[in-house]
Every structure is written in C-alpha cells, then in structure tokens.
Amino acid sequence: MVSKVTTVKLSSGHEMPMIGLGTYARKADPGQFCQAVECAIDAGYRHIDTASCYKNEVEVGQAIANKIKQGVVTRQELFVTTKLWNDSHAEADVIPALKESLNKLKLDYVDLYLVHWPVSVNSQGEDTAIDHSETWRGMEQAVAQGLAKSIGVSNFNEEQLERLLKSAKIKPVVNQFEINPTLTQHKLVNFCKERSVVPVAYTPLGLISEARPEFIGKDAIKTDPKLGELAQKYGKTRAQIALRYLIQRGIPVMPKSFTKSRIEENLNIFDFELTDKEMDTVDSFNIDHRCVPGSIFAKCTHYPF
Ligand SMILES: NC(=O)c1ccc[n+]([C@@H]2O[C@H](COP(=O)([O-])OP(=O)(O)OC[C@H]3O[C@@H](n4cnc5c(N)ncnc54)[C@H](OP(=O)(O)O)[C@@H]3O)[C@@H](O)[C@H]2O)c1
C-alpha cells in the first residue's frame, strides 16, 4: 500500500506525500494521539499533520520515536508538519516557538512549518494585527537554520497570499485550508496553483464525517444516492470517494481518524480513478459550507474569511 501513495513536489524541491494523518481532536486522551499515529505509520502513512495548538506534539513525537526505534520507518521517510500559533507571530517569537515544538516532537527539524492562521493575538487573546511579512521573516530564518525543510501558510485568502508572495524571499510552498465536496474552493485552489503554492485540504471529509451531528440538515451528502452509486461502483466508501476527488484535483488531503479501520480506509484511495463526469458529480455537492469558520478570530484585523 505504501508504494501506491503519490507525492507532490513542493517549490522548495522537497516531496510531500499526498495524504497525511490529521491529528486534531477537541477531546482525546493523550494515549489516543500516540495510538493513532502509530497505527497510521504501521498502515503506511508517511505524513503526519500536527500543530502546537493541538497540544499533542509530545504524543505525536513519542509515536514517531517508537516507530523509528522499532525499525518500521526512518526519520527521512517521514514528512512531519507542525504549525506556528497565533500568539507567536512577532519575528523574534517564531524560532523559539518552533524550537519548543521540535523539543516536544523530539525532532531536529520538521519537513513543513506553517503559519497556522493569518491572525495574530497576544496572550490575552487580543488582536495584535502583526504584519505577515514580519512573521514570514522569522519563518525564513527557520529554513536558514535548518529547523524546517519547507515553510508555508494556512487559512490565507488570495489577497493575503498575494501580498506575502511579493515580499517573501522564500516562497510559501503550501496554503492549507478547508476543501471538501461541500466546500470545493475552486477559485482559491486555482489561485494557489497558478503561483506554485500547493493547496492542501484540511477537514477533507467535511460533512461526510460521521462525527458531525451539528450539521444535521446539511448532510445530504451522507445519504445522496449519486454518491452512494459511485461508492458502490468502485467498492469504496463515501469518504474514500471524497478523498479521491481531492487527490484527482491535485490536492493533498489530511483526514483525521483515531479509528484503526478508518485510518486504513482513508489511505486506500490510490487504486481507482473517477471519470471527469464523476468528478463533476462530486463537485455538484458544493454548498460553500465552512465546517471551520474560525469565528473566534472574526473580529481580528487579518481574519481571512
Ligand atoms: N490548518 C487548520 O487551520 C486546520 C483546521 C482544521 C483541521 N486541520 C487539520 O486537518 C485534519 C482533518 O480535519 P478535521 O479533523 O477537522 O476533519 P476530517 O478529517 O474531515 O474529519 C474527521 C472526522 O471524520 C471521522 N472520519 C475519519 N475517517 C472517516 C471515514 N472514513 N468515514 C467516516 N468518518 C470518518 C473522524 O472520526 P474518527 O476519528 O472517530 O474516525 C473524525 O470525527 C485535522 O486533524 C488537522 O490535522 C487543520
């Protein structure tokens, strides 16, 4: 299964696996993070997506260390992403924040370091509206010091990305944002691709996810016969069709699961191909619904949505 996972070449020259394990959970026992990452590496995942604000870097790092010690993978075979939180956007704060993440992860470097949100806040959560070009200078130092192989952004809108690209000495290699069949994001995806910034999908299952009862009423995609027929045709699940749809659009996916069968299921999407017409069918589910609106930052100067 491992050999089937395709990769994408980043503008930094490094290769990134097209699927990574998402690790964010609002509520989880520390052991669950560790178990999920170990399970994913055993299944063949070579890309793990974490963030300092997920408060799980210690457990993610422990799982990675365990799998390296057991000889299942080498550090070089893994692609580890973590993210700078909004309270560390001052240029001088970036390297210390990254070093803290690396310390927790027990790693010398990350493969990808992302500015998690374009908004910045102080320790009281108040808007500090730090200019992105300032934060980016700190990010560029991370590459210069060998602490991050590649750097990128997350949740940046077109205007914010365009402005950053103009001032950046080292270009952001990715923009990670929400993309799924009910939030297809064609405009921002194309905008990124035209500028050699890889669009990466977080919350790639969106409304398909089993654990989103809050979206009852908007969840036709869970029962719609058209998606069911596609799933049946390929002997796959609705979730696998959604992930495959993104992969075929050239979008790497970061599905989160702490369930062994689903961790394995989500990886098993590289052995079939949707036709152009079927891609249009999945596209037709778009309702521009954001599962992650980041509403707590809505009053911040640099709120992106
Ligand atoms: N950059 C950002 O601002 C940002 C924001 C949000 C998320 N992310 C990243 O993206 C990752 C994924 O996002 P997400 O967790 O919001 O959403 P998601 O991956 O689209 O959905 C996760 C949910 O779907 C369930 N699930 C997983 N596989 C499934 C399957 N095959 N069939 C049915 N249900 C399935 C999971 O339950 P079980 O665990 O019980 O299997 C979990 O409740 C995060 O973990 C994080 O790494 C980044």
Side-chain angles (χ1 to χ4, degrees), residues 184-236:
T184 51
Q185 301 260 33
H186 281 280
K187 197 159 170 281
L188 186 53
V189 165
N190 291 338
F191 182 89
C192 289
K193 285 187 176 179
E194 283 160 12
R195 286 152 184 82
S196 301
V197 175
V198 175
V200 174
Y202 76 60
T203 315
L205 299 172
L207 298 179
I208 286 179
S209 145
E210 297 292 339
R212 292 195 180 273
E214 69 269 35
F215 297 127
I216 284 169
K218 294 186 178 130
D219 60 355
I221 193 157
K222 275 189 208 155
T223 51
D224 188 281
K226 291 195 292 285
L227 198 65
E229 277 162 30
L230 284 184
Q232 201 172 14
K233 172 178 169 185
Y234 292 105
K236 300 285 176 185

Side-chain angles (χ1 to χ4, degrees), residues 21-25 49-50 54 83 114 116-117 154-155 176-177 180 201-206 208-212 237 239-240 243 254-259 261-263 265-266 291-292:
L21 180 78
T23 63
Y24 174 70
D49 182 82
T50 182
Y54 299 170
K83 311 184 191 88
L114 302 181
H116 203 147
W117 284 86
S154 177
N155 296 302
Q176 185 186 104
F177 52 100
N180 52 55
Y202 76 60
T203 315
L205 299 172
I208 286 179
S209 145
E210 297 292 339
R212 292 195 180 273
T237 63
Q240 287 171 315
L243 295 174
M254 302 296 124
K256 171 263 172 184
S257 179
F258 287 179
T259 312
S261 59
R262 288 173 174 169
I263 289 173
E265 174 186 322
N266 294 342
C291 293
V292 185

Side-chain angles (χ1 to χ4, degrees), residues 29-68:
D29 297 330
Q32 280 183 286
F33 295 116
C34 198
Q35 256 177 10
V37 174
E38 288 195 7
C39 175
I41 293 174
D42 284 339
Y45 286 72
R46 294 296 176 260
H47 182 172
I48 310 293
D49 182 82
T50 182
S52 64
C53 90
Y54 299 170
K55 308 268 180 243
N56 64 11
E57 289 173 311
V58 168
E59 291 78 15
V60 169
Q62 190 56 53
I64 290 172
N66 292 346
K67 287 295 145 190
I68 292 174

